[in-house]
């Protein structure tokens, strides 16, 4: 009954089904539960479905590892339903999954961290009137993300790819009454469609040149393929570059990175789930999955490495000047994703997946930790209004500390191991890329330490408690005249509603409830110990690319020294003797600060391209596509056909007048014409 073969053939489908089941229950019965005041039960159902999915994922991994190793020592199965999904002219795509160490690792990350984020959301969204809708979106997202990483073909992976894009749009714009949230959702959707165009082209090229979209066949076929030198744009290069364009959109790489920072308009747990732990890593997963194909193209590998390295550096520089705690973490995510692509571009695909897993723990921890801070400060996100929270929110502080130590590369924390291997891989491949990666590591330590010190150290700089004290004093003097008090209360409630209702029922800075702190503790443990699991060795057989790194003995010491330098500078400038230095540097290098504040001009350039001037996309669409092509030509043809029909009918009315003698005359004319035609034919 519990044979490994049986488990790995059945359990993966159940892993997918459980979050889909949760979504369907909430979608069909959520409205009734809301009317009856039973939304809490719906939240429990959604969270429980993801927990069961995680348990089934564990069973799947156990069953997979218990199977005898096959080709290249690889444990894998392709459980399929008894039908072909697509069958056109002999081109067949079965409805099959691919379960191997790579997809199994991602299954555990998605369901495990997904469950913790669902649990955290029970507390974070407890006062939001639309929390059932929120949890239904989370369940649907989890389902599509699982389809993405377990799909056995590019076509099935594409279904999950588009599904998570849809759910991302819904969750980013969850508070759609806020214009900024609505705009952010649309921005994410549109930018991702640009990347998806490249993905579709890559799939079409793969089907045309290689005759298959099956992921295992693509990998095994690539192993036997002929490599294409730098500058040669053969089929492997074209396929790899087109697919990478899709990866740039989904994983927020330059120049398609602009959507992710704005996506912080969604609820903070959404930022943790979609934009730190799962969805944005989809592009990294796809490139790693097809690592054997990418290694056949020197051009594609060079593009992946350079785009990843430049993205890591540029995003890190932007993070330095951000004051919104979630925006700092957002640009940090973009930078860390660049690190992963840099690893892929230098052939260290397993190392990229290693950093993907460790990053999922510590970045989800810090996003949820920032949500706990925002909750405790009744919606405040500006770090300049924080400080001194280590004593006010001790549990949040200590768990956040674990994530901070991991991301800056502190020895024996998870980020230290995975980032160290990326630096080694870059060092083995290219000196410039290694220098860029090392510099980015120092910047990461600086801006994350800046966030840490501004949020938790020093004295509290905000106005929350002062405003509440003033409010209480006013109430005491006002006696029973509660008009001003009611206005202040309404304003506070409106602000709290914008942030999921957190902060209601509290006065002053407060620690988060246990349901929000438990996930932080679990993620903190993962941030400390996940680096001791050697993921590269586990997933390399699935990638079919052998990675041989040099591991110089001095690299850990150099990486640690760079991280310490970034930490020490941040300490001096934001908690030590040089606290006046940031303002002086901002004045002295105003041009550079303006450039970083403008995010290197990417958003301005896109806005100019789309909106500004007579040749902007909006203007051209209005003048040419709308007024000339659509309204002028297309509508003109359709309206012209209508007018022609009217004119013909007007002429026809002369014959169809209802008079008997007119009908008799028509019959006689027809008979004469028919007889004349017969006589003419016999002539």
């Amino acid at each position: 009954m519990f044979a490994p073969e049986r488990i790995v053939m059945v359990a993966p489908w159940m892993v997918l089904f459980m979050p889909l089941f949760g979504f369907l229950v909430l979608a069909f019965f959520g409205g009734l539960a809301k009317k009856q005041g039973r939304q809490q039960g719906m939240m429990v159902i959604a969270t429980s479905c993801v927990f069961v999915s995680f348990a089934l994922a564990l069973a799947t991994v156990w069953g997979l590892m218990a199977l005898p190793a096959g080709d290249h020592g690889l444990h894998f199965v392709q459980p399929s339903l008894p039908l072909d999904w697509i069958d056109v002219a002999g081109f067949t795509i079965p409805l099959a999954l691919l379960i191997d160490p790579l997809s199994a690792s991602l299954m555990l990350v998605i369901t495990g961290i997904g469950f913790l984020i669902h649990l955290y959301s029970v507390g974070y969204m407890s006062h939001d009137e639309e929390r059932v809708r929120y949890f239904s979106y989370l369940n649907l997202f989890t389902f599509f993300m699982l389809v993405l990483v377990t799909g056995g073909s590019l076509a099935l992976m594409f279904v999950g790819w588009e599904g998570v894009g849809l759910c991302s749009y819904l969750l980013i714009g969850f508070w759609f009454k806020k214009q900024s949230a609505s705009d952010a959702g649309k921005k994410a959707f549109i930018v991702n469609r640009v990347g998806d165009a490249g993905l579709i082209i890559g799939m079409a090229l793969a089907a045309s040149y290689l005759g298959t979209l099956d992921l295992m066949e693509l990998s095994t076929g690539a192993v036997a393929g002929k490599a294409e030198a730098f500058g040669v744009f053969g089929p492997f290069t074209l396929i790899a570059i087109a697919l990478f364009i899709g990866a740039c959109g989904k994983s927020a790489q330059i120049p398609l990175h602009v959507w992710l920072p704005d996506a912080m308009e969604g609820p903070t747990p959404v930022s943790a789930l979609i934009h730190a732990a799962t969805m944005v890593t989809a592009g990294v997963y796809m490139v790693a999955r097809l690592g054997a194909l990418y290694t056949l193209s020197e051009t594609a590998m060079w593009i992946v490495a350079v785009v990843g390295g430049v993205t890591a550096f540029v995003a890190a520089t932007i993070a330095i000047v951000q004051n919104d705690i979630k925006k700092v973490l957002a640009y940090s995510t973009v930078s860390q994703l660049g690190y992963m692509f840099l690893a892929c571009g230098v052939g260290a695909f397993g190392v990229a997946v290693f950093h993907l897993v460790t990053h999922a723990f510590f970045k989800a921890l810090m996003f949820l930790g920032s949500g706990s801070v925002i909750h405790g400060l009744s919606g405040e996100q500006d770090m300049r209004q924080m400080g001194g929270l280590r004593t006010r929110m001790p549990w949040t502080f200590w768990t956040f500390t674990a994530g901070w130590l991991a991301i800056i590369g502190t020895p024996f924390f998870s980020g230290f191991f995975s980032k160290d291997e990326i630096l080694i891989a870059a060092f083995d491949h290219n000196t410039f890329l290694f220098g860029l990666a090392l510099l980015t590591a120092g910047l990461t330590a600086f801006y994350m330490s800046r966030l840490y010190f501004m949020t938790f150290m020093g004295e509290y700089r905000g106005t929350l408690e002062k405003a509440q004290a003033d409010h209480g004093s006013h109430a005491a003097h006002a006696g029973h005249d509660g008009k001003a008090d009611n206005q202040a209360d309404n304003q506070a409630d409106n602000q709290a509603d914008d942030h999921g209702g957190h902060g209601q029922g509290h006065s002053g800075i407060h620690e988060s409830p246990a349901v929000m702190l438990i996930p932080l503790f679990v993620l903190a443990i993962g941030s400390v110990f996940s680096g001791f699991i050697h993921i590269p060795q586990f997933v390399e057989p699935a990638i079919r690319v052998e990675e041989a790194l040099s591991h110089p003995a001095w690299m850990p010491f150099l990486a640690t020294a760079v991280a310490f330098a970034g930490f020490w500078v941040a300490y001096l400038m934001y908690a030590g003797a040089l606290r006046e230095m940031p303002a002086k540097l901002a004045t002295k290098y105003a041009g550079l600060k303006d450039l970083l504040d403008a995010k290197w001009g990417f958003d301005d350039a896109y806005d100019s391209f789309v909106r500004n001037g007579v040749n902007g996309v909006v203007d051209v669409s209005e003048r040419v596509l709308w007024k000339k092509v659509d309204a002028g030509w297309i509508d003109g043809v359709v309206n012209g056909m209508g007018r022609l029909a009217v004119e013909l009918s007007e002429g026809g009315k002369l014959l169809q007048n209802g008079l008997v003698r007119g009908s008799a005359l028509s019959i006689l004319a027809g008979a004469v014409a028919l007889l004349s035609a017969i006589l003419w034919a016999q002539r």
Side-chain angles (χ1 to χ4, degrees), residues 23 38 48 84 90 139 149 201 228 239 263 300 314 320 342 357 386 431 474 481 531 540 590 675:
F23 164 74
R38 298 180 178 178
S48 300
D84 288 333
N139 270 198
V149 300
I201 293 172
E228 297 170 355
I239 294 170
V314 170
I320 291 173
L342 172 59
V357 173
M386 299 179 186
T431 303
H474 174 74
D481 183 6
E540 278 173 12
L675 180 61

Side-chain angles (χ1 to χ4, degrees), residues 327-470:
K327 287 291 182 70
V328 176
L329 295 175
Y331 281 106
S332 172
T333 297
V334 176
S335 182
Q336 296 302 306
L337 290 167
Y339 250 108
M340 298 175 204
F341 279 111
L342 172 59
C344 288
V346 296
F349 299 99
V351 172
V353 176
F354 186 21
H355 196 57
L356 185 158
V357 173
T358 60
H359 174 265
F361 280 103
F362 59 68
K363 187 53 67 65
L365 169 61
M366 287 189 290
F367 263 117
L368 296 186
S370 71
S372 181
V373 169
I374 295 168
H375 178 279
L377 297 180
S378 299
E380 182 61 69
Q381 295 184 201
D382 192 332
M383 297 185 299
R384 293 169 296 185
Q385 301 299 317
M386 299 179 186
L389 299 184
R390 69 189 184 282
T391 57
R392 312 290 188 91
M393 307 179 67
W395 298 115
T396 299
F397 165 68
W398 285 112
T399 53
F400 196 97
T401 298
W404 166 64
L405 292 173
I407 194 174
I408 68 174
T410 305
F412 308 114
F413 283 76
S414 60
F416 168 76
F417 296 101
S418 57
K419 191 176 294 186
D420 184 62
E421 295 209 23
I422 293 176
L423 291 173
I424 292 172
F427 176 76
D428 288 347
H429 186 81
N430 184 279
T431 303
F432 170 74
L433 293 175
F434 169 70
L436 195 61
L438 193 64
L439 176 59
T440 302
L443 292 174
T444 301
F446 173 79
Y447 69 71
M448 289 307 306
S449 298
R450 171 179 177 265
L451 179 152
Y452 184 76
F453 293 130
M454 290 182 69
T455 303
F456 295 104
M457 300 302 175
E459 299 296 328
Y460 177 65
R461 300 178 298 275
T463 58
L464 176 63
E465 292 181 329
K466 182 179 183 300
Q468 290 170 337
D470 292 344

Side-chain angles (χ1 to χ4, degrees), residues 64 74-75 98-108 149 284-290 349-350 353 356 535 538-543:
L64 182 68
L74 174 63
H75 301 256
L98 174 57
I99 308 301
D100 62 7
L102 179 57
S103 59
S105 300
L106 271 294
M107 284 172 61
L108 291 176
V149 300
V284 179
Y285 165 77
M286 181 185 67
V287 173
R289 166 65 71 188
L290 298 175
F349 299 99
V353 176
L356 185 158
I535 298 293
F538 181 66
V539 302
E540 278 173 12
I543 299 173

Side-chain angles (χ1 to χ4, degrees), residues 42-96:
M42 294 288 104
M43 297 160 67
V44 172
I45 291 174
T47 305
S48 300
C49 285
V50 179
F51 176 76
V52 173
S53 184
F54 173 65
L56 290 167
L58 285 173
T60 300
V61 174
W62 174 83
L64 182 68
M65 293 298 99
L67 293 176
D71 186 28
H72 298 285
L74 174 63
H75 301 256
F76 79 97
V77 292
Q78 289 186 284
S80 61
L81 294 178
L83 61 113
D84 288 333
W85 177 34
I86 297 175
D87 188 356
V88 179
F91 186 82
T92 303
I93 301 177
L95 195 61

Side-chain angles (χ1 to χ4, degrees), residues 504-550:
Q504 296 184 11
H506 294 282
S507 60
I509 302 170
H510 58 279
E511 184 60 277
S512 298
V515 72
M516 294 172 62
L517 293 176
I518 291 172
L520 297 183
F521 279 106
V522 177
L523 290 170
I525 294 172
S527 298
V528 176
F529 295 108
S530 62
F532 291 95
I533 305 172
H534 202 258
I535 298 293
Q537 186 177 1
F538 181 66
V539 302
E540 278 173 12
I543 299 173
R544 294 178 176 264
V545 176
E546 296 184 3
E547 303 172 14
L549 302 181
S550 61

